Amino acid sequence: MSILAHVRALLAPPGRRRLARWRVLVENIAGFDTLLRDLNDQRLHNRSLSLRYRAKSGEPLDRLLPEAFALVAESAARTLGMRHFPVQYLGGIAIHRGGIAEMETGEGKTLTATLPLFLNALSGRGAHLATANDYLAVRDADWMRPVFNFLGMTVGAIRGGMSPADRRDAYHSDVTGRRQLLSTSYQARVQLDAFDDPMFVGAQGQAKIAAAPQSLASRLYRYLSRTFHFEL
């Protein structure tokens, strides 16, 4: 990189700098994607087990991200006939980094969510997908279950009227779908108060800006990640 290009990069808005770093990650994911396509199902499953071992051994999830995302993409292609687009990788990275990925209906939100869910479930502590209602929680869990099962992960969904035993089983899954954790009014307050440098990743491959949580959202994220758990 020339000195002028380096100076321009330093002077670029924070959202653009993040996007540039994330595009490098997308290129790394594409490199793994090419490699994984040639593996048979068993070897692909073994790569997933290897990632789980590395995550549970304390290796940072950010270091595992490119291979983990590529594994999910290959699993989705083999089980659902759906392959992630680069912009969905960007959305997955934004979510994993504690940001917001805004996507329109039909742009692949559910498929995008499989990426950070798998990555964050590797440590064995589980990952939750909060949706608007019970119907969506169950629908999305059933729809994406083959992607996770192919990689050796279990999927559960929380809905009203479940028995304590069924609810416990769902919470013990690697990936769990459930209704949103916060009230609608509180979510609106978080969105209005929390983001002074928002970046939304659009599905046309154009990043409108991407998300860095600030103030209230940042504190809420740190609190939930540190203290929120279920005891049944």
Side-chain angles (χ1 to χ4, degrees):
M1 179 184 292
S2 68
I3 294 178
L4 180 59
H6 185 68
V7 170
R8 285 175 176 170
L10 289 175
L11 295 178
R16 285 179 188 253
R17 292 200 298 269
R18 278 197 303 275
L19 184 61
R21 292 195 298 269
W22 294 354
R23 289 195 186 281
V24 173
L25 282 176
V26 171
E27 293 175 2
N28 293 339
I29 295 167
F32 276 107
D33 185 48
T34 302
L35 171 67
L36 297 177
R37 290 190 195 204
D38 295 331
L39 301 183
N40 61 33
D41 291 356
Q42 184 59 52
R43 293 185 66 186
L44 206 67
H45 180 75
N46 292 343
R47 295 291 289 253
S48 176
L49 293 178
S50 175
L51 283 184
R52 297 189 79 162
Y53 175 80
R54 291 164 61 187
K56 291 179 180 180
S57 298
E59 189 166 345
L61 294 182
D62 283 349
R63 189 180 300 167
L64 305 179
L65 187 152
E67 184 175 359
F69 277 28
L71 273 172
V72 175
E74 186 60 28
S75 176
R78 296 189 189 192
T79 59
L80 303 179
M82 304 169 67
R83 189 172 290 278
H84 296 72
F85 290 100
V87 70
Q88 291 171 316
Y89 291 142
L90 287 173
I93 295 167
I95 295 169
H96 170 65
R97 294 291 175 82
I100 292 177
E102 182 182 66
M103 306 177 77
E104 300 295 336
T105 300
E107 291 182 340
K109 293 186 291 293
T110 304
L111 191 63
T112 297
T114 58
L115 300 165
L117 283 170
F118 176 76
L119 176 62
N120 285 273
L122 288 172
S123 64
R125 291 180 293 181
H128 284 223
L129 174 65
T131 63
N133 52 54
D134 286 351
Y135 167 76
L136 290 176
V138 174
R139 184 205 68 178
D140 291 349
D142 289 342
W143 185 14
M144 295 296 146
R145 182 174 283 109
V147 177
F148 295 104
N149 288 170
F150 185 81
L151 297 173
M153 285 192 174
T154 57
V155 178
I158 305 298
R159 62 184 184 278
M162 294 180 72
S163 69
D166 289 341
R167 185 176 291 266
R168 185 180 303 110
D169 288 342
Y171 277 126
H172 286 170
S173 299
D174 294 305
V175 174
T176 304
R178 57 159 299 149
R179 281 182 298 177
Q180 56 199 18
L181 303 175
L182 304 175
S183 68
T184 302
S185 60
Y186 192 70
Q187 288 180 27
R189 182 182 168 199
V190 168
Q191 291 178 2
L192 288 173
D193 293 349
F195 298 97
D196 56 12
D197 181 27
M199 177 171 83
F200 299 103
V201 178
Q204 301 303 317
Q206 303 294 325
K208 302 174 184 175
I209 313 184
Q214 304 290 338
S215 60
L216 176 60
S218 182
R219 294 195 298 272
L220 175 64
Y221 174 79
R222 288 196 299 268
Y223 173 77
L224 290 179
S225 63
R226 183 179 68 252
T227 65
F228 196 82
H229 65 280
F230 296 94
E231 189 173 84
L232 302 174

